[in-house]
Amino acid sequence: MDDFEGEGDTFIDASGIPRKRPYAKRFDKPDSDEEIGDVTKIYNVQEAWRSLLSLPTCQKVMVTEHVQKALKIQVGLNVTQEFPWKQVKFKDLRDTLFEELENSAELHKLFKGFNPEHFILIGYCPTLTESDEEPPEGDPFIFYVNSKDTKSAMSIIQNMEAFERWRMQRRLRKKPRRWVSHGTEDEMSIVVERFSEQPVDVEIQSVYPIKQPRHVAFSYRMTRDVRDGVVELLPKEEIKYETVTKRRLPVAVQVAPATKSVEQQTNPTFPSNAWSQYLYEIDDNDLELDESDVEEEEAGKPGTTEPKPKQVPEMSSNMQLLLETLDFNQIDCYRYDYQLITNRQVVHYTNPFLEEFICFANISKSDKRFVASCDWYPKLSGLVAVSYAFSTPVTIELATHQVNFVQRQVLEPNPVLLWSFSDNLNYKLEFEAPYEITKLSFCPFNGDILLGGCQNGQVVLWDLQGRCEHLEDEEYLTPAQAKYRTMIGEYLNWTLDINEDVVVAPATISPLEHSPTGAITGIYWLSRHFYLNNFGKVCNDLDKRANHNFFVTCAFDGTVSFWNLDGESSKKEKEAQQRSKNLPKELTQNESPLRTKTIKPTYSISYSEPVTGLIGDTSVFSILTPSPKVINKSPNNYPISVLAKNPPELRQSLILSTYYGHIVRVDWQGMYSEAGAKEQVNASANFAMVHDGPVVAMSKNPFYPELFASIGRTVFALWKEDYHDSPIIWRKRPCDLTAVAWSETRPAVLYITRLDGILEAWDILARDDDAVLSEVLGGGIITAVTEHRPLLPNKILGIGDYNSSIRMVKLPHSFDVPLDNELAKLMKYVLRQITRKTSIVAWEQKYYELNKDIIEAKREAEEEQRKEMEKQEREMLNPRKRGSDADEEPTKVKGGATYSEKMAKKFDELNLHRMMTILMSRKQMDPEKLARETALEKERQMYETAKKESYAKLLQTVEDDVATIRSRILPAEVQDMQRSEMIAERVKNEMAAAESYETICEQAHKKLKKFPELKSIDYIELLERGMHRRKLLDQSLGGNTERLLWYQEKLRDNQIFECDFGTDLLYNRRKLGPKPKAESVIEVEPQSEEVDKGEEEQEEQD
């Protein structure tokens, strides 16, 4: 539609009524807003609203308050006059609003055949009831029935919103302008210099000559090198101003403009050269020379002519600008002199960022799912197919999360949707799938073929039959055709309304018996000149006219399969094709020619670990875009073509990444056997182990196919196919990595996504230690990343996040423009890294050869020490196992069972299986169903049996456990020989240093003679002093105080009287020995004494 004002243009519609054309002018932001008088000349909002209300299918309704709450379009809360538009599902609009309207029957007819899951554009329009004195109940709203009118309204609304944002920013933005005098300079007479008398010209001659400025080249003067300065304008003190704050309107933009740090924010630089310090007034008379001087000089010269008049010298533009600017060192603070410093261009660096372009999501189809895979349509730009799954190799599920897989498979759909840049609300096509699709890939040689790898290992093929070229086509019906369709729809009102033009059924599915048993994790296309035969041999077709369609898949069960889309048809398939040819064309025009075709692997190889990706001699692809004129006609979906970059040969070798964290190279030889057999392959070369978890993805560089990237847990690495000793680089990231993709325009750029919702962009040539761009795209996991190959109109990157939505973001300009010789620089970088690593390995090998004996001896010693430590740990941790093994050894039969016994046991097992099969068939029971229903009971019985065996083992070891615990609580008394020797040595030293008995007696007698009299002391005091002295001696000499402690405890517990000390022998004549009544007490007391003794020793050790 052409851009025009639309105020006076009219046209005649189909019914013959003259109407005004819709106001379809596009709003373009003006370069400058200083000279704009009337903003309606830029964009007329009233005409835009008039166009919105005059669209053919615009419906005006009054919505009550409770309906607004139900539809979440409540005025003042969900919608306002500034933001009046919302999108509401047609199902909610039909069930809630239509029942309260008088013209509900008419609306139902208008929306006949409309998908209930699609959205309706509805807007709040208060201008409808402004002129009504008594408006009806509710608030006025408008919505549109036709999708064409909805798109027209969306374009007008986008222009209106852009105009409103510009107008609000224009009101809030304040720009510095020239000073306009309002007479305030007359009041500032104090600061203005005034001359009281006429100036006198005086010539001054100084001793010091004026310094001549030297020629210095200008350099950068950064704002961070100079302190900030301000210019303050102070009014008079007697004038008082009242600050008036302008009230901001409740509009979308309510923030102040951001501070710019790129401008010069310092004091203006004053001139520092001597010649520009003063302004000399030069009159026209001063420019002429003195005539007397001239005449004296010319008098001595004969034949002199009249002197020519002196021409006024022309000043340069810079000198004129300086003279106009300098006025007694007064400088214009508002002049922007940064542009006058130099004419050389300066590189301006900015921080790159991602701008969200569009988002595709359909919660009704993909609720609680993740984006599993996506691929771009190879014939048109802006079309992407997306598959969704409940789990992916990078997602994490809780162990407590219980899932009923049967119910999920029966009731839940398996969505695969095709989205377009032209419509982000509704998907264009829906592909039916029997299982969850884990991998998608369009055929690059035939864009109408879409392949999908299922969760169970099958491959699904859809045939689009050119539907993508007609997605935007609209069907125009005559009144008679519309009336006929309405009448037929009334008769078929009881049928289920299904939009068959949107749903694409599978053309064919690979047989389950020939497919892998694990989920498909990768689909790769081979060159059209190579093919594989049924024996696994690679052949190169020399006929240039031959075009083969071979592709390779890898699965989670370790199977790598080679498929042929153009395989030979069986006899049954040929008969079905012949029958379809005999049918009328009208019955078969919507059926795919591939419907009767069966696809199955031509050859398969098997590896022992789950395979998550492969790198081989597969093709990489680039695109060709049309001219800008064709792109501008349809910027969202314009035609493109795919170019294949084929390898020179197809080797019988592949690089596989496994879920166990390995990257290996495998070779297959081919085998002559019956069809369907798999060749078991082993690793011929192992790449270095750098990943700390499962390798979940690998990606080949489209410009440098020998270079590929891999991610596993928190480590990503770059590899070269022929160098497996070490990666080119590897970096550990702070979070688990989920997806990796190379740039389609720059060879040295790749994109990595993380579990915490962060996208990292790596530029290997700029820096290889960290990402050049790290953008947070959400708080959840990102499961997929893909780049849109075309550059125009913008470079787009697709991100699949945890909300089952795929978001399209615009990449910065630096990521879509390749550098000069970037591929050659990348190859040179890779070669330099390999050379450096090779030299390091050679140095290590040389050092090892020189010190081989020392290194080997040290290694053997460490290995023996490690084995001995492990052996001791096993013996300490498993004492029971040692004992049980020793008990079981005598019971074992030497030599094992004989051959006849083994065969008898094998025959009994086979016979039992045969009898169970016969019994199941007679009872008409399904073995799988019986096993599934009895699984829980068998598991419970096994648990009970294991529980009883565990209890029996525990009861057998109770006595040993009790003895172990008793030995820990009551450890055996170990005599401290070191302490005894120390005490004996100290006593010996004391005895050697002590004086003799005679000397001590003599000294004691002398002291006693000096005392006047001796004080008497009673027996109790003597005992107390003796006990105190004994305690001191025991403490100093370390004597045994066990008997004293035992006596104190018995005395404290009132048990001292039950003990027999033998004192009653003095009063009776009973025999020596224990009392009969206290026999049990006498037996217990030594045990208590032993316990107290052990506790005392334990306390001393602590």
Side-chain angles (χ1 to χ4, degrees):
M1 188 178 292
D2 298 331
D3 295 346
F4 52 84
E5 295 295 334
E7 296 181 359
D9 298 337
T10 60
F11 70 99
I12 306 300
D13 61 357
S15 59
I17 301 174
R19 296 180 181 273
K20 281 190 175 184
R21 292 185 181 275
Y23 186 75
K25 183 177 181 180
R26 180 178 177 182
F27 169 71
D28 293 326
K29 185 177 179 181
D31 299 334
S32 176
D33 56 354
E34 293 183 358
E35 304 298 332
I36 297 175
D38 187 9
V39 294
T40 57
K41 294 181 180 180
I42 301 177
Y43 194 82
N44 196 336
V45 179
Q46 295 180 355
E47 284 294 323
W49 272 107
R50 194 267 308 164
S51 300
L52 291 175
L53 296 175
S54 62
L55 290 175
T57 60
C58 177
Q59 302 293 325
K60 307 175 183 63
V61 295
M62 301 297 292
V63 183
T64 57
E65 186 176 356
H66 70 279
V67 176
Q68 294 178 16
K69 291 181 180 179
L71 295 177
K72 296 182 180 179
I73 56 173
Q74 192 173 359
V75 177
L77 182 62
N78 303 113
V79 296
T80 59
Q81 192 169 359
E82 290 80 16
F83 303 99
W85 300 99
K86 294 285 287 185
Q87 290 177 346
V88 181
K89 276 190 179 181
F90 170 67
K91 178 176 61 178
D92 301 335
L93 196 71
R94 178 192 61 191
D95 299 341
T96 308
L97 179 61
F98 286 6
E99 300 299 331
E100 296 194 358
L101 300 177
E102 297 179 356
N103 57 342
S104 60
E106 182 181 354
L107 291 175
H108 280 291
K109 288 183 180 180
L110 291 174
F111 284 99
K112 184 66 176 179
F114 198 84
N115 193 344
E117 298 296 332
H118 286 185
F119 290 86
I120 301 297
L121 182 66
I122 186 170
Y124 171 57
C125 184
T127 57
L128 294 176
T129 57
E130 284 182 353
S131 59
D132 297 345
E133 295 181 358
E134 295 182 358
E137 182 183 1
D139 296 308
F141 282 82
I142 61 174
F143 61 87
Y144 302 94
V145 178
N146 192 0
S147 60
K148 182 178 180 180
D149 292 346
T150 303
K151 292 181 180 179
S152 301
M154 287 290 291
S155 63
I156 297 174
I157 291 167
Q158 291 176 359
N159 290 324
M160 289 173 61
E161 291 179 350
F163 173 72
E164 291 294 336
R165 284 195 298 268
W166 171 79
R167 190 171 64 176
M168 290 299 106
Q169 292 176 0
R170 182 170 173 266
R171 290 179 178 178
L172 294 176
R173 186 169 58 247
K174 300 298 181 183
K175 291 185 176 180
R177 294 179 174 85
R178 293 184 178 274
W179 173 263
V180 179
S181 175
H182 294 282
T184 56
E185 65 273 7
D186 297 337
E187 300 176 3
M188 302 176 63
S189 59
I190 299 176
V191 296
V192 177
E193 184 179 358
R194 296 182 182 275
F195 297 99
S196 58
E197 56 187 21
Q198 294 296 331
V200 179
D201 295 335
V202 178
E203 184 177 358
I204 300 174
Q205 184 176 2
S206 62
V207 177
Y208 298 97
I210 298 176
K211 295 181 179 180
Q212 297 295 331
R214 59 190 180 90
H215 296 282
V216 179
F218 285 103
S219 61
Y220 296 116
R221 186 169 183 265
M222 303 297 180
T223 57
R224 60 175 177 268
D225 300 332
V226 184
R227 293 186 59 187
D228 294 340
V230 297
V231 177
E232 185 177 9
L233 302 177
L234 298 176
K236 288 187 176 182
E237 297 181 357
E238 59 268 20
I239 299 177
K240 295 183 179 179
Y241 297 95
E242 294 181 2
T243 305
V244 179
T245 305
K246 181 181 178 181
R247 180 179 179 272
R248 289 188 175 181
L249 300 177
V251 295
V253 182
Q254 293 188 359
V255 297
T259 304
K260 295 183 179 179
S261 59
V262 296
E263 298 179 358
Q264 187 175 5
Q265 296 183 357
T266 62
N267 278 334
T269 56
F270 288 90
S272 58
N273 295 326
W275 62 272
S276 61
Q277 289 292 324
Y278 304 98
L279 176 64
Y280 296 94
E281 297 181 359
I282 303 175
D283 298 334
D284 295 339
N285 298 329
D286 297 338
L287 296 175
E288 299 179 359
L289 296 176
D290 192 358
E291 296 180 358
S292 61
D293 298 339
V294 176
E295 291 176 356
E296 291 177 358
E297 293 177 0
E298 292 179 353
K301 296 181 181 180
T304 58
T305 59
E306 295 182 357
K308 296 181 179 180
K310 184 68 173 178
Q311 296 182 356
V312 180
E314 296 182 359
M315 291 183 293
S316 64
S317 59
N318 293 336
M319 180 60 68
Q320 186 69 28
L321 177 62
L322 179 64
L323 295 178
E324 293 177 358
T325 303
L326 297 177
D327 188 9
F328 293 98
N329 287 343
Q330 293 182 6
I331 298 183
D332 186 5
C333 299
Y334 298 99
R335 181 180 299 278
Y336 184 67
D337 57 350
Y338 187 77
Q339 297 176 352
L340 306 176
I341 294 177
T342 180
N343 295 327
R344 189 174 61 182
Q345 297 292 333
V346 180
V347 179
H348 181 60
Y349 295 96
T350 58
N351 293 327
F353 63 93
L354 300 178
E355 181 182 357
E356 186 165 350
F357 169 64
I358 202 170
C359 180
F360 301 125
N362 191 305
I363 304 302
S364 62
K365 297 287 184 181
S366 59
D367 188 22
K368 299 179 181 179
R369 292 175 174 86
F370 301 94
V371 176
S373 179
C374 54
D375 195 21
W376 299 94
Y377 185 64
K379 290 185 177 181
L380 290 176
S381 67
L383 293 178
V384 58
V386 185
S387 66
Y388 305 89
F390 286 99
S391 62
T392 65
V394 297
T395 54
I396 300 173
E397 292 185 1
L398 297 176
T400 57
H401 181 60
Q402 301 294 332
V403 178
N404 190 342
F405 293 98
V406 176
Q407 182 180 359
R408 175 184 289 181
Q409 183 64 32
V410 174
L411 301 179
E412 296 287 348
N414 304 302
V416 179
L417 307 177
L418 182 73
W419 297 92
S420 174
F421 285 176
S422 60
D423 188 2
N424 66 324
L425 298 179
N426 305 309
Y427 55 85
K428 296 300 181 181
L429 294 177
E430 179 182 359
F431 302 91
E432 293 181 347
Y435 298 95
E436 286 186 356
I437 301 299
T438 58
K439 196 66 180 177
L440 285 176
S441 179
F442 278 101
C443 178
F445 316 114
N446 184 3
D448 290 335
I449 294 178
L450 175 62
L451 295 179
C454 296
Q455 184 74 27
N456 65 339
Q458 289 181 289
V459 176
V460 184
L461 187 146
W462 293 280
D463 190 359
L464 276 68
Q465 297 180 340
R467 295 190 184 187
C468 293
E469 284 77 6
H470 306 285
L471 292 176
E472 301 297 330
D473 295 349
E474 295 185 4
E475 185 179 12
Y476 297 96
L477 302 177
T478 62
Q481 291 175 339
K483 183 178 179 180
Y484 177 75
R485 289 198 179 184
T486 304
M487 181 180 65
I488 294 299
E490 292 178 355
Y491 284 115
L492 300 177
N493 194 21
W494 55 273
T495 60
L496 185 62
D497 188 10
I498 299 177
N499 191 358
E500 296 181 353
D501 296 336
V502 176
V503 179
V504 180
T508 182
I509 304 177
S510 65
L512 189 62
E513 61 272 12
H514 298 294
S515 303
T517 58
I520 301 296
T521 56
I523 300 176
Y524 310 89
W525 294 90
L526 299 180
S527 173
R528 308 199 74 177
H529 302 295
F530 301 124
Y531 66 93
L532 271 79
N533 56 20
N534 294 329
F535 306 114
K537 296 296 182 180
V538 176
C539 302
N540 186 4
D541 199 337
L542 300 179
D543 188 3
K544 296 183 178 180
R545 296 174 298 176
N547 291 321
H548 302 278
N549 289 325
F550 274 84
F551 64 95
V552 189
T553 63
C554 56
F556 207 72
D557 62 341
T559 303
V560 178
S561 304
F562 297 87
W563 309 70
N564 185 12
L565 286 180
D566 301 332
E568 296 181 358
S569 302
S570 62
K571 184 178 180 181
K572 185 177 180 180
E573 294 173 358
K574 291 180 180 178
E575 292 177 356
Q577 292 177 1
Q578 187 64 32
R579 286 196 302 269
S580 62
K581 289 181 180 179
N582 298 331
L583 294 175
K585 184 179 180 181
E586 290 76 7
L587 297 178
T588 60
Q589 62 181 356
N590 293 329
E591 288 189 1
S592 172
L594 302 173
R595 190 174 184 85
T596 58
K597 193 176 188 60
T598 302
I599 57 172
K600 56 184 179 180
T602 304
Y603 191 74
S604 298
I605 61 176
S606 179
Y607 189 64
S608 59
E609 298 181 6
V611 179
T612 58
L614 64 86
I615 299 293
D617 295 328
T618 56
S619 298
V620 293
F621 303 94
S622 60
I623 63 163
L624 286 178
T625 56
S627 61
K629 184 178 180 181
V630 178
I631 295 175
N632 294 331
K633 288 183 179 179
S634 178
N636 292 325
N637 305 117
Y638 55 85
I640 58 175
S641 58
V642 177
L643 293 179
K645 300 177 183 178
N646 300 320
E649 61 175 346
L650 180 59
R651 296 168 294 180
Q652 293 189 183
S653 178
L654 295 172
I655 298 175
L656 306 180
S657 64
T658 69
Y659 202 70
Y660 295 161
H662 301 148
I663 300 177
V664 297
R665 177 179 287 277
V666 297
D667 301 328
W668 80 91
Q669 305 298 329
M671 55 189 301
Y672 295 92
S673 61
E674 59 183 6
K678 293 183 181 180
E679 179 182 353
Q680 187 70 30
V681 294
N682 297 319
S684 61
N686 292 313
F687 285 73
M689 285 284 294
V690 296
H691 296 289
D692 56 350
V695 181
V696 295
M698 290 197 305
S699 179
K700 183 193 293 187
N701 193 316
F703 300 93
Y704 191 14
E706 296 181 359
L707 185 68
F708 66 94
S710 64
I711 57 172
R713 196 63 181 274
T714 60
V715 175
F716 99 93
L718 296 183
W719 307 85
K720 198 170 183 295
E721 288 188 6
D722 54 357
Y723 184 74
H724 54 81
D725 294 336
S726 174
I728 305 302
I729 61 170
W730 67 276
R731 298 291 180 263
K732 187 175 179 63
R733 310 309 300 150
C735 187
D736 290 2
L737 306 178
T738 57
V740 60
W742 286 93
S743 173
E744 299 289 345
T745 54
R746 290 196 54 191
V749 174
L750 74 159
Y751 308 101
I752 299 174
T753 58
R754 292 174 17 184
L755 188 68
D756 54 357
I758 294 180
L759 170 70
E760 293 184 353
W762 287 74
D763 190 346
I764 307 302
L765 297 179
R767 59 181 302 184
D768 58 1
D769 61 328
D770 201 356
V772 297
L773 173 64
S774 182
E775 191 82 10
V776 179
L777 298 178
I781 184 175
I782 298 176
T783 56
V785 58
T786 178
E787 187 180 18
H788 191 218
R789 289 195 180 102
L791 287 173
L792 299 177
N794 295 291
K795 193 61 179 176
I796 305 300
L797 188 68
I799 306 294
D801 60 9
Y802 62 98
N803 285 329
S804 68
S805 61
I806 182 163
R807 301 156 61 185
M808 300 295 166
V809 296
K810 296 180 182 179
L811 288 173
H813 186 63
S814 58
F815 289 99
D816 58 11
V817 178
L819 305 177
D820 295 337
N821 300 324
E822 184 172 356
L823 180 58
K825 292 178 181 178
L826 179 62
M827 297 174 68
K828 184 177 180 181
Y829 171 83
V830 173
L831 182 61
R832 184 173 66 251
Q833 292 290 335
I834 293 177
T835 305
R836 181 179 63 85
K837 294 177 180 293
T838 306
S839 61
I840 293 175
V841 172
W843 178 85
E844 291 178 351
Q845 185 65 24
K846 183 178 179 181
Y847 179 81
Y848 174 77
E849 294 295 337
L850 295 175
N851 305 276
K852 183 176 181 180
D853 298 337
I854 301 174
I855 295 175
E856 290 295 334
K858 186 177 180 180
R859 184 179 299 172
E860 291 178 0
E862 291 177 353
E863 185 68 20
E864 293 178 358
Q865 185 179 3
R866 184 183 62 82
K867 291 181 179 180
E868 186 66 24
M869 292 286 291
E870 291 178 356
K871 182 179 179 181
Q872 293 179 3
E873 289 178 0
R874 287 195 299 268
E875 292 177 354
M876 292 176 63
L877 294 175
N878 300 324
R880 277 188 229 154
K881 185 177 180 181
R882 240 186 3 258
S884 61
D885 294 344
D887 296 339
E888 291 177 0
E889 283 180 0
T891 60
K892 291 183 180 179
V893 179
K894 295 183 180 180
T898 61
Y899 178 77
S900 58
E901 292 177 354
K902 292 180 180 179
M903 290 295 101
K905 185 177 180 181
K906 185 73 173 179
F907 176 78
D908 292 341
E909 292 178 355
L910 295 175
N911 192 22
L912 177 62
H913 180 69
R914 182 181 61 82
M915 294 175 64
M916 289 295 295
T917 305
I918 296 172
L919 182 63
M920 290 293 179
S921 61
R922 290 183 179 179
K923 294 292 183 180
Q924 295 182 358
M925 296 181 65
D926 187 4
E928 295 182 357
K929 183 179 180 182
L930 180 63
R932 187 168 58 252
E933 292 179 352
T934 59
L936 294 176
E937 182 64 22
K938 290 181 179 179
E939 185 177 354
R940 188 187 64 80
Q941 292 179 358
M942 292 174 62
Y943 172 75
E944 293 292 339
T945 304
K947 187 176 180 181
K948 291 179 181 179
E949 293 177 357
S950 177
Y951 284 162
K953 291 181 179 179
L954 288 176
L955 291 175
Q956 292 176 0
T957 59
V958 166
E959 295 181 358
D960 297 339
D961 293 342
V962 171
T964 304
I965 294 171
R966 181 176 294 174
S967 63
R968 291 179 180 177
I969 297 176
L970 304 174
E973 181 180 0
V974 179
Q975 187 176 2
D976 192 355
M977 300 303 295
Q978 184 177 3
R979 186 176 180 184
S980 301
E981 293 175 358
M982 181 183 67
I983 295 171
E985 185 178 359
R986 185 174 177 182
V987 171
K988 183 178 180 181
N989 294 336
E990 291 291 336
M991 293 297 294
E995 297 180 355
S996 62
Y997 177 75
E998 291 78 6
T999 307
I1000 294 174
C1001 288
E1002 184 178 355
Q1003 293 176 359
H1005 284 295
K1006 290 180 180 179
K1007 290 183 179 180
L1008 289 174
K1009 290 179 180 180
K1010 294 179 181 180
F1011 286 107
E1013 59 180 3
L1014 294 174
K1015 295 181 179 180
S1016 61
I1017 183 171
D1018 56 355
Y1019 180 71
I1020 296 176
E1021 185 178 358
L1022 180 62
L1023 288 178
E1024 290 178 355
R1025 291 184 180 182
M1027 292 174 63
H1028 182 65
R1029 182 177 178 82
R1030 183 173 181 179
K1031 287 182 180 180
L1032 294 177
L1033 290 174
D1034 290 341
Q1035 292 178 1
S1036 62
L1037 300 177
N1040 192 358
T1041 58
E1042 294 179 358
R1043 295 184 60 84
L1044 181 59
L1045 291 174
W1046 175 82
Y1047 176 76
Q1048 290 177 355
E1049 290 178 358
K1050 294 299 181 182
L1051 187 63
R1052 182 188 60 195
D1053 299 337
N1054 293 326
Q1055 297 179 358
I1056 195 65
F1057 303 103
E1058 299 178 2
C1059 299
D1060 186 8
F1061 296 101
T1063 55
D1064 56 345
L1065 294 174
L1066 300 175
Y1067 306 103
N1068 53 27
R1069 296 181 180 178
R1070 72 175 180 87
K1071 296 181 181 180
L1072 292 174
K1075 291 184 179 181
K1077 294 182 180 181
E1079 184 176 1
S1080 60
V1081 178
I1082 295 172
E1083 292 178 355
V1084 173
E1085 290 305 325
Q1087 183 178 0
S1088 176
E1089 179 180 356
E1090 184 181 359
V1091 172
D1092 295 336
K1093 182 178 178 181
E1095 291 179 354
E1096 180 183 0
E1097 291 180 0
Q1098 186 68 25
E1099 291 177 357
E1100 290 178 0
Q1101 293 178 3
D1102 294 338

